[in-house]
Amino acid sequence: MDSQQLLAMLAPGQALSGTAMATRAGVTRAAVWKQIEVLRARGVPIEASTAAGYKLPWPLQMLDEASIRASLPASLSAALGALEVHWELDSTSSELQRRVSQAADFSMLLAETQTAGRGRRGRPWLSPPGLNLYLSCLKRFENGFVSLAGLSLAIGVMVLRAMGNLAITGAGLKWPNDLLAVNGSSAGGKLGGILVELTGEYQGPCVAIIGIGLNLRLTDLLREQAGQPISDLATLAGGTPADRNHVAASLIGALIEGLRQFEQEGFAGFAADFARHDLLYGERLHLAGACGEFDGTGAGVDSRGALLVHADDGELHRIDSADVTVRPA
Ligand code: BTN
């Protein structure tokens, strides 16, 4: 028995005794207990009671390739380069990087858990199994990095479109590519992050590996470990998030459609949607990084996706390096 099998047994959310699970898997109770501890150490909140046995606090759907495919319209399913669901990878983006020379456009890798999930600026992306989504997608472009200005902002719009298709509302975008919950008119915790990695030529063929992490169900431990306010789709939905396979399919569909649109129209095709969901617009901001350190007011983004900030000294700053921290002033 491995931890994937154990999580699949607990996924319906019913309590199961160690003996029942051991019998079902044909292993000893000690083997079951060992895998319970493995999952707990990975951040899965398995509850235990002497009377009922082991139990998850809520049911969950294990990711399943066939269910994801079944939720995709045939035209989008046909466009997929590959669709793979893994139990564990170091990072879905690192795995796609390793396959970059052979992988077809719209290759999609998902993992239930990542052992070395990567966020922006070298930060780790905590990736416990069974709770959230970790997805990477590969797309080639013919006209080099110059044609990709604004891509990461456009991906944020694609993620919001995917949520909109599932009637999930209450999220907005924080430049350059954070997805945040919205509390009334102000930004709430981080719901997800986008990591776009480009390889290839400045003016010739290049490849984008787009990694998306989306919080569906957070635990108290994750909230403690995150080091910043975070939120999840369960909270937006009033308790129960949408089916994980449906969310994965909706994301994949929105990426295929959106990346095709981006190839034709560039950021221009996404600018109005970005502006509608821009959580920094009109906000008092403190910026620090390569641009120096100053306070100002968010003034949207330009046609290449650079952040515009009216500094308090009257100057309009154009920030196009993501290597900057933007915080409320
Ligand atoms: C951020 O820092 O906000 C970006 C987080 C991106 C996380 C995703 S999870 C899937 C893919 N694999 C990774 O290792 N990172 C990205």
Side-chain angles (χ1 to χ4, degrees), residues 152-283:
S152 61
L153 282 67
I155 305 287
V157 170
M158 293 173 211
V159 177
L160 285 185
R161 288 178 182 172
M163 290 170 56
N165 290 339
L166 294 168
I168 303 169
T169 54
L173 297 170
K174 177 182 171 224
W175 185 93
N177 44 21
D178 279 353
L179 187 72
L180 303 186
V182 183
N183 278 333
S185 62
S186 59
K190 180 158 166 167
L191 279 174
I194 295 162
L195 180 70
V196 179
E197 295 169 310
L198 302 176
T199 49
E201 295 178 33
Y202 194 70
Q203 284 182 316
C206 63
V207 187
I209 291 179
I210 298 150
I212 300 173
L214 193 57
N215 300 333
L216 267 66
R217 182 80 91 164
L218 295 174
T219 59
D220 292 344
L221 181 67
L222 266 181
R223 286 181 201 275
E224 270 166 39
Q225 290 172 332
Q228 62 175 318
I230 53 176
S231 189
D232 59 9
L233 296 195
T235 308
L236 292 194
T240 307
D243 180 294
R244 293 173 77 225
N245 290 302
H246 291 172
V247 179
S250 189
L251 260 183
I252 289 169
L255 281 171
I256 296 174
E257 289 179 334
L259 288 167
R260 283 175 168 163
Q261 183 190 355
F262 189 89
E263 207 162 27
Q264 300 299 315
E265 303 171 13
F267 180 61
F270 296 83
D273 275 358
F274 185 86
R276 226 186 343 270
H277 297 287
D278 179 0
L279 295 173
L280 298 186
Y281 187 84
E283 293 296 314

Side-chain angles (χ1 to χ4, degrees), residues 95-167:
E95 178 63 18
L96 262 184
Q97 292 284 4
R98 289 189 284 270
R99 302 192 200 173
V100 74
S101 57
Q102 320 92 358
D105 264 10
F106 301 127
S107 291
M108 307 277 173
L109 296 191
L110 294 110
E112 282 285 7
T113 178
Q114 301 183 115
T115 52
R118 294 186 281 114
R120 287 196 302 122
R121 302 158 113 217
R123 295 197 193 107
W125 189 258
L126 299 171
S127 311
L131 308 176
N132 304 318
L133 279 184
Y134 320 112
L135 163 79
S136 295
C137 161
L138 179 144
K139 176 77 184 82
R140 290 167 205 286
F141 293 91
E142 284 311 311
N143 299 319
F145 301 164
V146 262
S147 66
L148 301 184
L151 175 63
S152 61
L153 282 67
I155 305 287
V157 170
M158 293 173 211
V159 177
L160 285 185
R161 288 178 182 172
M163 290 170 56
N165 290 339
L166 294 168

